[in-house]
């Protein structure tokens, strides 16, 4: 029986085989089942049914071809966009390296450069741009970094042994042996949690020792500040864009800015002032969401502290965070709070339908896939002007009159 059926099949090709000869691609086998002959023990298909199945099959093939064509066109457009983006980045890199950087002092404040800045600094020149924009008001040299690093290594070597000198002998007034031990342990712990998906800062990774060195050197440079959780993310971003000593210089100067120093030294009064200033612009830009947060007692400290501590490098995708850093280096601390408002604006529709717990969870763990263009469009729509007063004016007014700070935040 099987041989007879095989012979019959060989003598006259099935409709499915005939159709496939005319196709440019092989359809999935399941799509052609309707063209199969019925088993020999069943009556043959009526001509009308066979014609109907043939039509259905041709429609499925046509739809499959359309789908393939759409996907091919989509892939082609993505490739063209990528090529165009790479060309733009290459052209921008030339502009920055050949025109802007050699004439930094005269060009950095020009309208054209500010527009280029907003579009994102090319990765190839990002480190140099950040270094220049952050500056070196502390006058730290490469030699000073080497000295701080050497002292840090001395501490690491002596950390397992009992302290035999007083704090005054080591020149670290106010920093006890126990404090130094705790700081070293916190650095080790934090490094292991810094950009874990990259696998380059963890023990055995190519940048583990570099990150450890910069953080250790900083604790020697600023024993009054020491190491604070979250610093590792800032240092790591700088390491990815600069040489080690330059990254340390930028790191120390960055943390010396008023906003960062207020947060890292936990200056409660000044932090409240920053939160209050933020709420002024929050209410101005997003009154509905602001009222929703107020009714749920969701205060800015719940989500802003982590964003500010790590300059968004922990909360946003790394490439997006670097774009935020670009404009932060241009506009200063104001842009950190403008970015926060941009994020809230981007997710306003979602957040207004959440309760306290879900809002807090959402804002402390933002979606993993945030598009830079979409976020920056949202940030661009945020106005940092309230009743003709800019950020610095509002902040200065609140600093002069602390009683005007948000009562909700005073705990």
């Amino acid at each position: 029986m099987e041989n007879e059926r095989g012979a019959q099949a060989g003598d006259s090709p099935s409709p499915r085989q005939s159709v496939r000869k005319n196709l440019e691609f092989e359809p999935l086998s399941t799509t052609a089942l309707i063209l199969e002959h019925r088993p020999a023990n069943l009556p043959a298909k009526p001509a009308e049914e066979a014609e109907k199945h043939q039509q259905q099959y041709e429609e499925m093939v046509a739809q499959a071809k359309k789908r393939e064509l759409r996907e091919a066109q989509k892939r082609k457009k993505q490739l063209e966009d990528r090529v165009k983006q790479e060309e733009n980045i290459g052209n921008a890199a030339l502009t920055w390296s050949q025109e802007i950087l050699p004439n930094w002092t005269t060009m950095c404040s020009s309208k054209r450069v500010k527009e280029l800045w907003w579009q994102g600094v090319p990765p190839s020149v990002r480190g140099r741009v950040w270094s220049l924009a952050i500056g070196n008001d502390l006058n730290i040299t490469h030699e000073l970094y080497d000295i701080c690093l050497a002292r840090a290594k001395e501490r690491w070597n002596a950390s397992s042994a009992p302290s035999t000198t007083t704090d005054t002998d080591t020149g670290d007034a106010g920093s006890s042996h126990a404090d130094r031990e705790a700081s070293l342990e916190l650095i080790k712990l934090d490094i292991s949690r810094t950009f874990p998906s990259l696998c380059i800062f963890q023990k055995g990774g190519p940048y583990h020792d570099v990150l450890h060195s910069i953080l250790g050197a900083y604790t020697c440079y600023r024993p009054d500040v020491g190491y604070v959780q979250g610093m590792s993310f800032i240092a790591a971003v700088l390491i990815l864009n600069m040489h080690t000593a330059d990254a340390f210089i930028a790191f120390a100067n960055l943390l010396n800015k008023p906003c960062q120093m207020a947060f890292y030294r936990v200056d409660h009064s000044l932090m409240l002032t920053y939160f209050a200033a933020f709420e002024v612009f929050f209410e101005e830009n997003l009154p509905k969401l602001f009222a929703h947060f107020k009714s749920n007692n969701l205060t800015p400290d719940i989500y802003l502290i982590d964003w500010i501590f790590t300059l968004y490098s922990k909360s946003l995708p790394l490439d997006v965070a670097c774009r935020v850093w670009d404009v932060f280096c241009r506009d200063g601390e104001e842009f950190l709070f403008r970015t926060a408002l941009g994020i809230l604006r981007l997710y306003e529709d979602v957040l207004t339908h959440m309760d306290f717990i879900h809002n807090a969870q959402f804002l402390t763990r933002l979606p993993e896939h945030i598009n830079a263009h979409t976020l920056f469009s949202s940030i661009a729509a945020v106005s940092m002007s309230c009743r003709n007063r800019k950020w610095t004016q509002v902040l200065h007014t609140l600093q002069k009159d602390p009683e005007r700070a948000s009562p909700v935040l005073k705990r």
Side-chain angles (χ1 to χ4, degrees), residues 50-66:
E51 185 180 349
K52 178 184 176 183
H53 288 174
Q54 177 70 31
Q55 184 180 354
Q56 288 176 339
Y57 179 75
E58 289 175 355
E59 286 175 357
M60 284 191 289
V61 170
Q63 288 174 0
K65 283 185 175 181
K66 286 181 181 177

Side-chain angles (χ1 to χ4, degrees), residues 265-278:
R265 298 194 73 173
V266 196
D267 185 334
H268 192 64
S269 176
L270 191 50
M271 287 171 70
L272 288 176
T273 304
Y274 275 107
F275 292 145
F278 170 76

Side-chain angles (χ1 to χ4, degrees), residues 16 31 82 93 146 214 219 226 255 341 363 369 411:
R16 181 179 67 176
T31 65
R82 194 178 303 119
D146 291 336
I214 286 179
T219 62
L255 298 193
L341 292 172
L363 293 173
H369 304 290
R411 295 173 175 172

Side-chain angles (χ1 to χ4, degrees), residues 69-240:
L69 182 61
R70 284 197 302 269
E71 290 174 358
Q73 289 173 338
K74 184 180 177 181
R75 287 193 298 270
K76 182 182 177 183
K77 188 176 186 307
Q78 287 175 338
L79 181 60
E80 289 173 349
D81 289 345
R82 194 178 303 119
V83 170
K84 185 178 179 181
Q85 184 182 21
E86 289 174 357
E87 287 178 354
N88 290 338
I89 291 173
N91 292 333
L94 285 175
T95 301
W96 279 97
S97 59
Q98 295 180 4
E99 297 179 33
I100 301 171
L101 289 172
N103 304 290
W104 179 257
T105 52
T106 56
M107 291 191 68
C108 66
S109 299
S110 68
K111 183 179 179 181
R112 178 184 172 223
V113 172
K114 285 189 173 184
E115 287 174 355
L116 285 173
W117 223 323
W118 179 268
Q119 294 167 16
V121 178
S124 60
V125 297
R126 183 168 267 152
R128 284 182 287 165
V129 172
W130 287 359
S131 289
L132 289 167
I134 293 169
N136 187 13
D137 292 341
L138 298 174
N139 294 316
I140 300 173
T141 62
H142 287 203
E143 290 73 25
L144 179 56
Y145 166 68
D146 291 336
I147 293 169
C148 291
L149 178 58
R151 293 184 65 196
K153 287 180 177 178
E154 287 176 8
R155 286 186 179 181
W156 298 335
N157 293 333
S159 62
S160 57
S163 178
T164 56
T165 57
T166 64
D167 296 328
T168 307
D169 291 335
T170 58
D172 292 335
S175 176
S176 69
H177 180 72
D179 290 338
R180 293 197 297 272
E181 287 280 324
S183 187
L184 287 173
E185 286 303 314
L186 185 55
I187 288 175
K188 288 178 184 177
L189 179 62
D190 244 16
I191 287 177
S192 68
R193 299 182 295 199
T194 304
F195 298 122
S197 61
L198 297 181
C199 300
I200 57 176
F201 294 107
Q202 288 63 43
K203 195 168 184 64
Y207 291 112
H208 173 270
D209 292 344
V210 178
L211 181 56
H212 197 264
S213 295
I214 286 179
L215 297 176
Y218 183 76
T219 62
C220 290
Y221 176 70
R222 288 297 301 264
D224 57 321
V225 178
Y227 180 78
V228 181
Q229 195 170 358
M231 285 182 177
S232 63
F233 280 89
I234 295 179
V237 173
L238 293 170
I239 288 168
L240 291 174

